[in-house]
Structure formats: C-alpha cells, structure tokens
C-alpha cells in the first residue's frame, strides 16, 4: 500500500495488533486528557514497542508546553509529533528544533479560506493534516467523526504533503480517495464501537475498504 494509513487513538494491544497486521504505516497516541482516547505516556511507551520497525509512532498533542512534550518524547520516543491545536508557525519551528522530530501540523477545515493558513507553515511543518472543524460544543479539536468537503482540497498543488482526516470510515473512504489524492489518510472514531473503544473488526474492515479503493480505476494516480 503506497498510501500512508494512520490509525489514531490506540489504547490496547489488540487494537494495535489489528492496526499493524492491517498494514498501518502510522499509529497514533492521543495525549489530551479530555479525550476518551487519552493515554498516559507509560501506556503509549509500552504499546509503541509492537510498532518498532513496522509503523511510525505519532504523538498527538494539543497546544502542549515544553514540559508536557518533554515527558511524552522521553517516555514514548515517537517518530513524529502531531500538533493538533492552534500552534503558531513559530511554535512549530521551536518544537521541531527542540526534539529534532518531524512535525505534522493539523488544520481544521470547513471552507476554502481555512486553507489559506497553511501558507505560513510551508517549509516549517513536515506534513499537514486536514481535519474537519469540531462540531459546536465539542471539547475535542479532533476525533469527532466529522467530515468536511474534500473537494476543498482538490485545488492544492501536488507538492502539498498532507494526510486526509475527519470522519473517515470503511463506507466513505472510497469516495474520499476518488475525490482527492492525499499521501496519507488518518482515522480514529470510524474504527470504534464506542468513543475511545477501538474495534479490531472495524479496523480490518477499514483496511479492506482502502485496498478495494486503491485497486479500482476510480482512484486518481
Ligand atoms: O481523537 C481524539 O480524541 C483527538 C483529540 C485531540 C486531538 C486530536 C484527536 N484526534 C485526531 O482527530 C482526527 C480525526 O478523527 P476522526 O477520524 O474524525 O475520529 C485524527 O487526526 C486524530 O488524530
């Protein structure tokens, strides 16, 4: 599978095994206490061992300070930091320099103008992640199972490296990959039986749907 696939919000060994056996290129751990997917650093450190040599471990944080990031990086030794809050370009640069790790910067998208913000992060963030804006009242900046209009990304130039995220699941991934050509996709609540509860069967079904989509002619090259 040349498309990167990130299964995010992993908390258990059986979910990790389903993600890795399915062919995940990235596995994500959420460090955000309000999330039902939040894990302590020592749990993530233990889980990530199974991914060594198989998938990249992504630490997902939201406006984390240096002390919080220090604790995560030293315990988990992630391959990538995903910054899913309102981190400025200067903060992204600071984080990259402090840890020497690639940074994936998340952006919440609802309308075309939301994409204008990526301009000041180009050359700083290593990759972008496009997620939907959280629904009103949600305490979570991500993991809401909400999609946005993928066509908004169709005009991006080819060298914008991004992961598509937000409300993806086995039923809609074919349409998503037919609409746009991300270098990676990222899923969390679409492979859960309840908030924060990953379902290995749904993980397997998602990979099957991705493979089917990639095999069909409808996916742009
Ligand atoms: O999943 C969470 O709880 C979460 C909390 C804080 C920041 C990001 C979070 N998840 C990210 O949300 C997107 C999409 O999730 P979904 O597939 O729509 O449920 C994904 O990038 C996660 O990394």
């Amino acid at each position: 599978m040349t498309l990167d696939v990130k299964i995010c919000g992993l908390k258990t060994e059986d979910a990790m095994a389903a993600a890795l056996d399915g062919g995940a290129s990235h596995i994500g751990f959420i460090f955000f206490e309000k999330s039902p997917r939040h894990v302590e650093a020592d749990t993530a450190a233990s889980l990530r061992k199974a991914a060594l040599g198989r998938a990249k471990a992504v630490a997902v944080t939201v406006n984390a300070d240096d002390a919080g990031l220090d604790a995560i990086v030293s315990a988990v030794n992630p391959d990538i930091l995903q910054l899913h809050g309102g981190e400025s370009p200067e903060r992204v640069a600071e984080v990259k320099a402090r840890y020497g790790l690639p940074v994936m910067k998340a952006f919440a998208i609802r309308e075309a103008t939301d994409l204008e913000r990526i301009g000041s992060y180009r050359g700083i963030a290593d990759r972008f992640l496009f997620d939907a804006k959280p629904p009103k009242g949600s305490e979570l900046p991500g993991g809401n199972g909400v999609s946005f209009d993928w066509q908004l990304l169709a005009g991006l130039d080819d060298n914008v490296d991004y992961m598509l995220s937000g409300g993806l699941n086995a039923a809609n991934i074919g349409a998503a990959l037919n609409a746009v050509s991300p270098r990676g996709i990222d899923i969390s609540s679409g492979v859960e039986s309840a908030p924060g509860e990953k379902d290995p069967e749904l993980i397997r079904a998602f990979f099957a749907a991705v493979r089917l989509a990639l095999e069909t002619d409808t996916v742009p090259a």
Side-chain angles (χ1 to χ4, degrees):
M1 213 183 295
T2 52
L3 180 74
D4 286 345
V5 181
K6 172 168 165 264
I7 306 291
C8 200
L10 294 163
K11 297 194 302 187
T12 63
E13 285 178 11
D14 62 341
M16 274 290 293
L20 294 170
D21 293 348
S25 59
H26 295 67
I27 45 117
F29 300 111
I30 302 288
F31 300 96
F32 185 64
E33 286 184 6
K34 288 178 186 164
S35 170
R37 304 170 189 95
H38 172 73
V39 280
E40 296 301 332
D42 58 347
T43 305
S46 161
L47 288 172
R48 78 93 72 223
K49 286 184 199 149
L52 289 169
R54 297 182 75 185
K56 290 182 176 162
V58 182
V60 181
T61 61
V62 181
N63 300 325
D65 60 16
D66 286 349
L69 286 171
D70 286 354
I72 292 164
V73 171
S74 67
V76 182
N77 192 22
D79 299 296
I80 298 171
L81 297 171
Q82 177 176 327
L83 304 185
H84 213 105
E87 298 87 359
S88 65
E90 294 73 26
R91 178 62 180 152
V92 173
E94 211 172 78
V95 168
K96 272 177 62 96
R98 185 174 179 90
Y99 303 104
L101 290 173
V103 168
M104 178 157 68
K105 177 72 188 88
F107 292 86
I109 308 297
R110 183 181 295 139
E111 51 202 48
T113 53
D114 294 323
L115 285 166
E116 289 169 6
R117 291 186 52 229
I118 71 168
S120 50
Y121 293 81
R122 289 187 81 168
I124 301 174
D126 296 275
R127 186 174 243 192
F128 298 126
L129 181 145
F130 298 127
D131 191 2
K133 285 215 167 144
K136 219 172 181 182
S138 172
E139 288 197 293
L140 303 178
N144 291 299
V146 178
S147 304
F148 64 97
D149 178 3
W150 306 313
Q151 288 297 341
L152 294 173
L153 306 180
L156 286 176
D157 59 87
D158 288 346
N159 57 17
V160 175
D161 181 356
Y162 71 91
M163 276 200 169
L164 178 67
S165 160
L168 297 176
N169 54 50
N172 68 12
I173 191 61
L177 293 177
N178 195 33
V180 286
S181 304
R183 295 190 202 165
I185 54 176
D186 182 2
I187 181 169
S188 187
S189 52
V191 286
E192 291 178 348
S193 51
E197 304 304 319
K198 290 285 179 296
D199 181 332
E201 270 313 311
L202 292 177
I203 293 174
R204 284 187 271 277
F206 183 69
F207 279 108
V210 172
R211 288 203 167 83
L212 184 67
L214 293 177
E215 280 163 19
T216 64
D217 297 337
T218 53
V219 177

